[in-house]
Amino acid sequence: MKKIAILGATGSIGKNTLSVLSGMRDAYEIVALSCHNQVAALLELAAIYKPALLAVTDEAAAGSVTEVPEGTKLLSGQQSLLALVDMADLVVLGVVAIAGWPVLVHC
C-alpha cells in the first residue's frame, strides 16, 4: 500500500485528489493532510481519512484547533510540511506557488 501526503488538501487540487483516492483505499493510505488556514475543512477531512499527521501552515489558525481525531497529530507552521512529506511514498503538492518551493526542493 502506498502512503500519500496531500498538501493543500482543502483546495481544489486536494479535494479532487481525495475524491479519486476514495475509490482506491485498498491501494493508497492517506497518511498526511495540510491546509493553510481552512482548519474546519481540514478537520472534516481528518475525521474521514484518519491521517497520522495534519499540518496547518498559518500558525494563528492552527492555534484555534482544540481537538484532533484520535491517533492524529497536529503540526503548525510552514516547515511542518516537510515532516508530512518525509512519511509519504507519494506527495500531492497542491499548495499555492512559492509556499510549495521548500517542499519541492526537499523531495
Side-chain angles (χ1 to χ4, degrees), residues 28-83:
Y28 298 98
E29 177 186 6
I30 298 164
V31 296
L33 299 171
S34 81
C35 74
H36 178 61
N37 61 11
Q38 294 183 8
V39 174
L42 184 68
L43 292 174
E44 286 177 22
L45 294 173
I48 297 167
Y49 297 102
K50 303 189 183 351
L53 287 177
L54 296 176
V56 178
T57 56
D58 180 325
E59 293 190 37
S64 72
V65 177
T66 57
E67 189 175 335
V68 296
E70 186 176 335
T72 301
K73 182 178 177 182
L74 177 69
L75 306 175
S76 65
Q78 190 65 35
Q79 292 298 313
S80 65
L81 297 180
L82 302 180

